[in-house]
Amino acid sequence: MKIIPAIDLLGGRCVRLQKGSYSDVTVYYEDPAEAAAVFQSLGVPRLHVVDLDAARGQGLDNRAALRRIAAVFRGEIETGGGVRSEKDIEELLDAGASYLIAGTVLAKEPQTAERWVRRFGSRFIAGIDALKGEVRVSGWEKGSGLRDEDLAKRAAEIGFAEIIYTNIDKDGMMSGPDIENTERIAEASGIPVILSGGISCNDDLYRAAASGKIAGAIVGKAFYEKSVDLKTVTSRLTDGEK
């Protein structure tokens, strides 16, 4: 199981939100490239970078910050937030992204997402962010009327490489991950699913790995608050221990 540290960008800074609320923000690094350098030193293979400004669709983005991150981190970068056009895709790939996370477009315009996959190939990860089973869009601020399981099946049909599944009730709360529903999405879709939200300690990651159905786990606040030791977890999972 891959361990994927998260860098959330807001106003050019590395932050975390609680339950997706833009009114409840904690800043961890003024320059997110500093966070990327830490993860580079730990040897993690991939970063999860989300542009919270672009996700809201208010004309702001953090692509300059993404370029700074890519300049110091040599592994893969998956990035999402505001991926709404082919121009966005081209600019993000040019800025250093390896994979692009499509959430709002997948939910609202699946035919557009399908066209992207045909043109750019298997670079897309479905971002399925759910609150009580309903998919939320536009930076989690709007409901979609779609059930998470239905969208997961659609993503697989279109040809998405992976799914990131977030239970919004868990995000930023360090209250334990939603392993059960992540497994449900994996079973429904038949493609690799990455767990996001709620990781609070090393044992949460070991439990996710032990499930056998979860391809990866994103770690955010728990790392920044020093309740997860990425070096220890990565070493243990690499050695095949659970």
Side-chain angles (χ1 to χ4, degrees):
M1 185 184 79
K2 297 189 292 284
I3 308 298
I4 307 170
I7 297 178
D8 289 356
L9 303 173
L10 186 68
R13 302 178 296 178
C14 173
V15 308
R16 293 298 291 172
L17 310 183
Q18 286 203 151
K19 294 187 179 182
S21 172
Y22 285 78
S23 63
D24 196 346
V25 179
T26 302
V27 177
Y28 288 103
Y29 287 90
E30 290 291 332
D31 183 355
E34 294 181 13
V38 172
F39 297 129
Q40 176 65 36
S41 72
L42 291 171
V44 300
R46 186 188 291 190
L47 291 183
H48 175 79
V49 179
V50 175
D51 188 335
L52 295 173
D53 289 300
R56 301 180 86 181
Q58 296 182 354
L60 302 174
D61 68 60
N62 291 280
R63 287 172 194 171
L66 176 61
R67 288 183 183 279
R68 294 199 304 276
I69 290 168
V72 299
F73 185 76
R74 294 189 292 274
E76 297 176 332
I77 298 174
E78 60 185 39
T79 188
V83 183
R84 297 190 175 93
S85 71
E86 293 188 4
K87 183 173 182 289
D88 291 328
I89 294 167
E90 291 167 350
E91 289 179 355
L92 289 166
L93 292 174
D94 183 66
S98 310
Y99 296 94
L100 302 169
I101 303 163
T104 297
V105 167
L106 174 63
K108 297 174 71 173
E109 302 175 42
Q111 70 282 359
T112 298
E114 188 169 9
R115 186 175 70 248
W116 292 352
V117 171
R118 286 199 305 267
R119 177 178 173 188
F120 295 96
S122 56
R123 293 177 175 271
F124 293 92
I125 298 172
I128 299 181
D129 309 317
L131 187 62
K132 297 177 173 54
E134 182 193 12
V135 176
R136 304 286 293 182
V137 297
S138 300
W140 299 355
E141 295 186 315
K142 298 178 182 178
S144 69
L146 297 171
R147 303 303 298 170
D148 52 11
E149 192 170 302
D150 293 335
L151 191 59
K153 292 175 182 176
R154 182 67 173 129
E157 291 168 358
I158 288 172
F160 275 68
E162 298 175 338
I163 293 169
I164 295 172
Y165 180 74
T166 305
N167 179 338
I168 294 171
D169 264 335
K170 296 283 188 178
D171 189 73
M173 299 305 293
M174 293 175 60
S175 58
D178 188 350
I179 292 174
E180 180 180 356
N181 280 309
T182 305
E183 291 176 330
R184 175 175 59 84
I185 295 300
E187 291 169 356
S189 67
I191 62 176
V193 176
I194 297 168
L195 178 153
S196 176
I199 296 295
S200 65
C201 60
N202 291 5
D203 283 344
D204 285 340
L205 292 166
Y206 299 146
R207 287 195 301 114
S211 118
K213 298 178 181 178
I214 297 173
I218 293 171
V219 181
K221 186 175 182 179
F223 171 80
Y224 296 112
E225 296 289 339
K226 303 185 183 340
S227 65
V228 161
D229 183 336
L230 284 183
K231 186 174 182 179
T232 297
V233 172
T234 301
S235 175
R236 178 167 169 177
L237 294 182
T238 299
D239 290 341
E241 298 178 38
K242 302 293 186 286

